[in-house]
Amino acid sequence: MSEVREPIKKSSIKKKEKIIKKGFELMCEKGYHNVNSVDIAKYSGVSTGCIYQYFPDKKAIFIEGSKIYLKDICFPMLEVFEWYSKNEMSVEELVSYILENSIQKQTLSYKAHQELMSMCYLDQDVAQIFNQNEIEVTSKIVKILKAKNCFKNNSKESIHLFIHIVNDFIYEKIYHKHSEYDYNNMYKETKKILVYLLKKEAL
Amino acid sequence: MSEVREPIKKSSIKKKEKIIKKGFELMCEKGYHNVNSVDIAKYSGVSTGCIYQYFPDKKAIFIEGSKIYLKDICFPMLEVFEWYSKNEMSVEELVSYILENSIQKQTLSYKAHQELMSMCYLDQDVAQIFNQNEIEVTSKIVKILKAKNCFKNNSKESIHLFIHIVNDFIYEKIYHKHSEYDYNNMYKETKKILVYLLKKEAL
Amino acid sequence: MSEVREPIKKSSIKKKEKIIKKGFELMCEKGYHNVNSVDIAKYSGVSTGCIYQYFPDKKAIFIEGSKIYLKDICFPMLEVFEWYSKNEMSVEELVSYILENSIQKQTLSYKAHQELMSMCYLDQDVAQIFNQNEIEVTSKIVKILKAKNCFKNNSKESIHLFIHIVNDFIYEKIYHKHSEYDYNNMYKETKKILVYLLKKEAL
Amino acid sequence: MSEVREPIKKSSIKKKEKIIKKGFELMCEKGYHNVNSVDIAKYSGVSTGCIYQYFPDKKAIFIEGSKIYLKDICFPMLEVFEWYSKNEMSVEELVSYILENSIQKQTLSYKAHQELMSMCYLDQDVAQIFNQNEIEVTSKIVKILKAKNCFKNNSKESIHLFIHIVNDFIYEKIYHKHSEYDYNNMYKETKKILVYLLKKEAL
DNA sequence: CATGAATGAGAGTTCATTCAT
DNA sequence: TATGAATGAACTCTCATTCAT
């Protein structure tokens, strides 16, 4: 395996970033397994050789892409929590904001989301990033809630549940996986549980 | 593409079934992309050519396998609901049984589960089967609960949430994805929400 | 192909020499085909571009290296002959010295020797250098022996045989190619023939 | 690495043999490093995939080729020894026959010989075959001479020297490596030494 | 019906050389 | 002069599928 260089010059840094951005985009769009290194190079406007100067292999591009976009993409709820910590706001409002904001901020295409999730199951390294990211987001939320000093019973485990229920709802809603469901009802039910998970009070 | 025959003779039917069983097993174990058709043929005890008499392509074997094993594998909770419908049992007991039974009945290896989930995101046809299966299971559960005539507010959407929360807990627990979590606590929290989802009563 | 410059400045001459020394060393150690120009540049402490200012291609570095090191490396026997020409010494002693000195002076690693020999067969230019070198060494030895004026029948052809038999013994002995052989016996036999080749007297 | 099959059917055996024959021929002609698997496939009249059914990699073809042709090519002297063992013949005649027969039987082109020798230095596996072959030929010759019961002092080591001196002469002569040499004289000198090595009598 | 040898396009990756800075 | 990032053709090897036997 040839040496991987870390770009120093401004133009090189931009080049590396372009490969990540464009490469990740293409892999998400067409599917990781349906895109080859020549495609990525062409789409990124660089040569195939250039790719292997900054990345040890094709997967590394996908992983870098996942890392960068994971925060923006998968857990936009964190910023709502942060905003919540600094403002007066009921838990009900918080939950509504999270659900609505998450849906709005969802920039990944259906294919991109599917590809990301697939890789997450297929590849240990990608899975690791997802798990790590969840741990970080969970910890931060717990900390925010603790600082706010109103709900004493928050636990990592509740927040884990919270995050998964939010994500499940979002992807159901956005990608409309089951046409049989009444999404208004699902919204109502989901919200109740989410509120409970934060307040730990009778629903 | 050559014509695919539907087996009529008993021996042929058995052959097709063997290919599905063994092929699916191997693909789950080694990974769909790491198993080739020659491997499947060998492992199934047939010739490579034989495979293409019963299946249009490699993916079809995986799909057939998914269909057959999905019920046994992913939603063993259905049988608990069925048992519940015929016996005296509290909702708390029901939920406990579901969680414990699901964990016990989980026969898929970690690799197999990952592979199945990955394909579900990767491939429209596999996704379709998953979604279809969920709809069916959901409907059956709703019907069972309605028949039992105790909880009026059950909805497909609640059951969807129910199923997803159960699965999430099981896979977290079995495959121990996040070492930071306290699974006893997670169990407690999960159970409360599941009970609520069925009873729709204050937690 | 870009123009190759001949260095004039002292520092440039040193740079060229460094590339030959270090590049040849590296190619011998790792193998000509397993070393790339970036490796050579790094190992020599110059830039890749710099290499192509002094050498038309990668092979040229190997050839220059071969030329410089061939005398020191492959035929240390010449200096023994020269020493012999100026001192009282029997032919038996001469041959013993040659064999022992050659083994001692053998500085090339096994890999380096293999690489050098391989290139000699692989590449006309390298072969040419080897052949040229042999001719020169042979001529010098013949001249020395003629000057000594004791053995009238020495011929280039005898000396060719002499050199090849010496080399064969040395490489057999040093790199121990055939574990089945008794090297003491081989030494005895080899020595007898070498003595004959110089004296042309009954063994 | 995919499984390598051993051909059973007659046509398949022929196919494998054709790949060895044609592939080895091509690699010798154009050079091992200048021929790729697609070239070999085309030249052998098979598909690239077919090659990898019978050989684990490109090198294996070269090795098989070397094995098969080594006896015919490098040591035709063995058959002269065998013939000698069954007939009345002087040692001088034997040596003459060996030298002349070896030159006649030399079917490898210059390039092929160079390529073979190069690989022998470049690759451990090829070297192993050469060494093994020499051991076998040496042992057989020693056995033949012992059976003939006339020369008591023959040793593996003498025969090793014998073989190398023969080969050196042949390749000097055939490929005319050094235009400065008088090959008649070289023939005379070589013959004397070879005769001595067998008879161990005063030259 | 069954076989399994054959196919060949396509995969990821390397590296000698160039040339803008 | 010196640099080292960029090039892109070429490499070995794989595998879903076909089809002559």
Side-chain angles (χ1 to χ4, degrees):
Chain A
M1 202 187 296
S2 71
E3 212 71 7
V4 173
R5 214 186 314 131
E6 201 53 38
I8 300 162
K9 278 201 270 183
K10 254 189 188 173
S11 67
S12 298
I13 292 172
K14 271 199 177 158
K15 204 162 251 183
K16 184 175 178 180
E17 280 167 359
K18 201 164 64 177
I19 294 169
I20 295 172
K21 188 175 150 53
K22 288 289 191 171
F24 186 68
E25 193 179 309
L26 192 65
M27 285 188 266
C28 282
E29 189 52 41
K30 306 270 182 191
Y32 180 83
H33 290 93
N34 305 316
V35 161
N36 63 36
S37 42
V38 176
D39 297 333
I40 293 171
K42 264 186 196 150
Y43 194 73
S44 305
V46 301
S47 67
T48 48
C50 187
I51 285 178
Y52 289 90
Q53 291 200 319
Y54 300 121
F55 303 94
D57 51 31
K58 186 181 140 187
K59 205 181 75 184
I61 302 171
F62 191 86
I63 287 179
E64 289 302 310
S66 302
K67 273 184 194 165
I68 290 174
Y69 293 101
L70 206 55
K71 268 173 281 185
D72 308 342
I73 282 164
C74 285
F75 300 89
M77 76 182 75
L78 191 56
E79 60 183 88
V80 182
F81 270 107
E82 273 159 1
W83 191 68
Y84 165 76
S85 73
K86 292 163 195 152
N87 294 274
E88 279 305 310
M89 194 187 217
S90 73
V91 171
E92 283 78 8
E93 281 175 314
L94 169 66
V95 169
S96 294
Y97 281 156
I98 283 170
L99 291 175
E100 279 144 30
N101 184 55
S102 295
I103 286 170
Q104 259 176 46
K105 291 279 175 66
Q106 185 63 26
T107 53
L108 277 185
S109 69
Y110 176 64
K111 278 199 133 183
H113 172 250
Q114 300 293 96
E115 201 57 38
L116 208 48
M117 292 307 292
S118 167
M119 282 298 284
C120 170
Y121 283 108
L122 216 52
D123 191 282
Q124 291 250 29
D125 299 326
V126 178
Q128 172 63 20
I129 289 165
F130 268 70
N131 289 342
Q132 191 56 37
N133 193 293
E134 186 192 309
I135 291 294
E136 281 168 26
V137 171
T138 306
S139 301
K140 281 180 187 163
I141 292 175
V142 169
K143 207 179 284 178
I144 287 169
L145 292 175
K146 286 244 165 81
K148 189 92 175 181
N149 201 24
C150 42
F151 312 119
K152 296 163 192 168
N153 297 309
N154 288 112
S155 62
K156 280 182 192 168
E157 293 75 31
S158 300
I159 301 304
H160 165 87
L161 267 163
F162 185 93
I163 290 172
H164 277 251
I165 291 167
V166 168
N167 280 333
D168 180 51
F169 176 73
I170 290 164
Y171 296 120
E172 270 292 335
K173 169 99 194 200
I174 294 180
Y175 306 126
H176 213 67
K177 279 155 79 172
H178 301 91
S179 52
E180 295 82 356
Y181 293 153
D182 172 349
Y183 286 102
N184 285 331
N185 191 30
M186 193 179 280
Y187 179 79
K188 248 173 50 197
E189 292 290 348
T190 302
K191 207 176 143 183
K192 265 195 233 163
I193 294 169
L194 294 176
V195 167
Y196 161 75
L197 274 169
L198 295 182
K199 285 171 107 167
K200 295 288 168 59
E201 270 171 26
L203 287 152
Chain B
M1 199 186 296
S2 70
E3 214 62 17
V4 173
R5 254 182 298 108
E6 199 53 39
I8 299 164
K9 278 204 285 181
K10 256 191 185 171
S11 68
S12 298
I13 292 173
K14 271 200 175 161
K15 205 166 250 183
K16 187 176 176 180
E17 281 170 356
K18 201 164 64 178
I19 294 169
I20 294 171
K21 185 175 152 53
K22 289 289 190 172
F24 185 69
E25 193 179 308
L26 193 64
M27 285 188 264
C28 282
E29 190 51 43
K30 307 268 181 193
Y32 180 83
H33 290 93
N34 304 319
V35 160
N36 63 38
S37 39
V38 175
D39 296 334
I40 294 171
K42 257 185 203 153
Y43 194 73
S44 306
V46 300
S47 68
T48 48
C50 186
I51 285 177
Y52 289 88
Q53 292 194 325
Y54 300 122
F55 302 94
D57 51 31
K58 186 181 145 188
K59 206 181 75 185
I61 303 170
F62 191 85
I63 288 178
E64 291 300 312
S66 301
K67 276 184 193 164
I68 290 173
Y69 293 100
L70 205 56
K71 269 173 283 183
D72 308 341
I73 282 164
C74 285
F75 302 121
M77 77 183 74
L78 191 57
E79 60 183 88
V80 181
F81 270 108
E82 274 159 1
W83 192 69
Y84 166 77
S85 73
K86 294 163 198 153
N87 294 274
E88 278 306 310
M89 192 187 220
S90 74
V91 171
E92 281 78 8
E93 283 174 312
L94 169 67
V95 168
S96 294
Y97 283 156
I98 285 171
L99 290 176
E100 279 143 30
N101 185 55
S102 295
I103 286 171
Q104 261 174 47
K105 291 279 176 69
Q106 185 62 26
T107 53
L108 277 186
S109 69
Y110 177 64
K111 277 197 132 182
H113 173 248
Q114 299 292 97
E115 200 57 37
L116 210 49
M117 291 308 291
S118 166
M119 282 299 284
C120 169
Y121 284 109
L122 215 53
D123 192 282
Q124 291 252 26
D125 299 326
V126 178
Q128 173 63 22
I129 289 163
F130 267 69
N131 290 341
Q132 190 56 36
N133 192 292
E134 186 192 310
I135 290 293
E136 281 168 25
V137 171
T138 306
S139 301
K140 281 180 186 164
I141 292 173
V142 168
K143 207 179 287 177
I144 287 168
L145 292 176
K146 286 245 165 83
K148 190 92 175 181
N149 200 22
C150 44
F151 313 119
K152 297 161 191 168
N153 297 310
N154 288 113
S155 62
K156 282 181 193 168
E157 293 74 32
S158 299
I159 302 305
H160 165 87
L161 264 164
F162 186 93
I163 291 171
H164 277 252
I165 291 168
V166 168
N167 280 334
D168 180 50
F169 176 73
I170 290 165
Y171 294 119
E172 268 292 335
K173 170 100 193 193
I174 293 179
Y175 306 127
H176 212 67
K177 278 154 77 174
H178 300 92
S179 52
E180 294 82 355
Y181 294 153
D182 172 349
Y183 286 102
N184 285 332
N185 190 30
M186 192 179 281
Y187 180 78
K188 248 173 49 197
E189 292 289 348
T190 302
K191 206 174 144 185
K192 264 194 233 163
I193 293 169
L194 294 175
V195 167
Y196 161 75
L197 274 168
L198 295 182
K199 285 170 110 170
K200 293 291 167 56
E201 270 173 24
L203 288 152
Chain C
M1 199 187 296
S2 70
E3 214 62 14
V4 173
R5 255 182 299 106
E6 199 52 38
I8 298 164
K9 277 204 286 183
K10 256 191 184 171
S11 68
S12 298
I13 292 172
K14 271 200 174 160
K15 203 167 250 184
K16 186 175 176 180
E17 281 169 357
K18 200 163 65 178
I19 295 168
I20 295 172
K21 186 175 151 55
K22 289 289 191 172
F24 185 69
E25 193 179 308
L26 193 65
M27 285 188 265
C28 282
E29 188 53 41
K30 307 267 181 194
Y32 181 84
H33 289 93
N34 304 317
V35 161
N36 63 38
S37 40
V38 175
D39 296 334
I40 293 170
K42 255 185 203 152
Y43 194 73
S44 306
V46 300
S47 67
T48 48
C50 186
I51 285 177
Y52 289 87
Q53 292 195 323
Y54 300 121
F55 302 94
D57 53 31
K58 187 181 145 188
K59 205 181 76 184
I61 302 170
F62 191 86
I63 288 178
E64 290 300 311
S66 301
K67 275 184 193 164
I68 290 174
Y69 293 101
L70 206 56
K71 268 173 283 182
D72 308 343
I73 282 162
C74 285
F75 303 120
M77 77 182 74
L78 190 58
E79 59 182 89
V80 181
F81 270 108
E82 273 158 0
W83 191 70
Y84 165 77
S85 74
K86 292 163 198 155
N87 293 274
E88 278 306 310
M89 193 186 219
S90 74
V91 171
E92 281 79 7
E93 281 174 314
L94 168 67
V95 168
S96 293
Y97 281 156
I98 284 171
L99 289 177
E100 278 143 30
N101 185 55
S102 296
I103 286 171
Q104 258 176 46
K105 292 278 176 69
Q106 185 63 25
T107 53
L108 278 186
S109 69
Y110 177 64
K111 276 196 133 182
H113 173 249
Q114 299 293 96
E115 201 57 38
L116 209 50
M117 292 308 291
S118 166
M119 283 298 284
C120 170
Y121 283 109
L122 216 51
D123 192 281
Q124 290 253 26
D125 298 327
V126 177
Q128 174 62 22
I129 289 163
F130 267 69
N131 290 341
Q132 190 56 37
N133 192 293
E134 186 191 311
I135 290 293
E136 280 168 26
V137 171
T138 306
S139 300
K140 281 181 187 165
I141 291 173
V142 169
K143 206 179 286 177
I144 287 168
L145 292 176
K146 286 247 165 81
K148 190 93 175 179
N149 201 20
C150 43
F151 312 120
K152 296 161 193 170
N153 297 310
N154 289 110
S155 61
K156 282 181 191 169
E157 293 75 31
S158 298
I159 301 305
H160 164 88
L161 264 164
F162 186 94
I163 291 171
H164 277 252
I165 290 169
V166 168
N167 279 333
D168 178 52
F169 176 74
I170 290 165
Y171 294 120
E172 268 291 336
K173 169 99 194 198
I174 294 178
Y175 306 126
H176 213 67
K177 279 153 76 174
H178 299 91
S179 53
E180 294 82 354
Y181 294 154
D182 172 348
Y183 286 103
N184 285 331
N185 190 31
M186 193 179 281
Y187 180 79
K188 245 173 54 196
E189 293 289 347
T190 302
K191 205 173 143 186
K192 264 193 232 166
I193 294 170
L194 293 176
V195 167
Y196 162 74
L197 273 168
L198 295 182
K199 284 171 110 169
K200 295 290 169 56
E201 272 172 22
L203 290 152
Chain D
M1 200 186 298
S2 70
E3 212 71 7
V4 173
R5 213 185 317 127
E6 201 53 38
I8 299 161
K9 277 201 271 182
K10 254 190 187 172
S11 67
S12 298
I13 292 173
K14 271 202 177 159
K15 205 163 250 184
K16 184 174 178 181
E17 281 168 358
K18 200 164 65 178
I19 295 169
I20 295 171
K21 186 175 151 55
K22 287 290 192 172
F24 186 68
E25 192 179 309
L26 192 66
M27 286 189 264
C28 283
E29 188 53 40
K30 306 269 182 194
Y32 181 83
H33 289 93
N34 305 316
V35 162
N36 64 35
S37 42
V38 177
D39 296 333
I40 294 170
K42 264 187 197 149
Y43 194 73
S44 305
V46 300
S47 66
T48 49
C50 187
I51 285 177
Y52 290 90
Q53 292 199 320
Y54 300 121
F55 303 95
D57 52 32
K58 185 181 140 187
K59 206 180 76 183
I61 303 170
F62 191 85
I63 287 178
E64 290 301 312
S66 301
K67 274 184 194 165
I68 289 174
Y69 294 100
L70 206 57
K71 269 172 280 182
D72 308 342
I73 282 163
C74 284
F75 299 90
M77 78 183 73
L78 190 58
E79 59 182 87
V80 182
F81 269 107
E82 272 157 0
W83 193 70
Y84 166 76
S85 73
K86 292 164 197 150
N87 293 275
E88 278 305 310
M89 193 187 218
S90 73
V91 172
E92 282 78 8
E93 280 173 314
L94 169 66
V95 169
S96 294
Y97 280 156
I98 284 170
L99 291 176
E100 278 144 31
N101 184 56
S102 296
I103 286 171
Q104 260 175 47
K105 292 278 177 69
Q106 186 63 26
T107 52
L108 278 185
S109 69
Y110 176 65
K111 279 198 132 183
H113 172 250
Q114 300 292 96
E115 201 56 40
L116 207 50
M117 292 308 292
S118 166
M119 283 298 283
C120 172
Y121 283 109
L122 216 51
D123 190 281
Q124 291 249 30
D125 298 326
V126 178
Q128 171 64 20
I129 289 164
F130 268 69
N131 289 341
Q132 190 56 37
N133 192 292
E134 186 192 310
I135 290 294
E136 280 168 25
V137 171
T138 306
S139 301
K140 280 179 188 165
I141 292 174
V142 169
K143 204 178 284 177
I144 287 169
L145 293 175
K146 285 245 165 83
K148 190 93 175 180
N149 199 23
C150 43
F151 311 120
K152 296 163 192 168
N153 298 310
N154 288 111
S155 62
K156 282 182 192 169
E157 294 74 31
S158 300
I159 302 305
H160 164 87
L161 265 163
F162 186 93
I163 291 171
H164 277 251
I165 291 168
V166 168
N167 280 333
D168 179 52
F169 176 73
I170 291 164
Y171 295 120
E172 270 291 336
K173 169 101 193 194
I174 294 179
Y175 306 127
H176 213 67
K177 279 154 78 173
H178 300 91
S179 52
E180 294 83 355
Y181 294 153
D182 171 349
Y183 287 102
N184 285 330
N185 190 28
M186 191 179 281
Y187 179 78
K188 247 172 53 196
E189 292 289 347
T190 301
K191 207 175 142 183
K192 265 194 233 163
I193 294 169
L194 294 176
V195 167
Y196 162 75
L197 274 168
L198 295 182
K199 285 171 107 169
K200 293 290 169 59
E201 271 173 24
L203 287 152

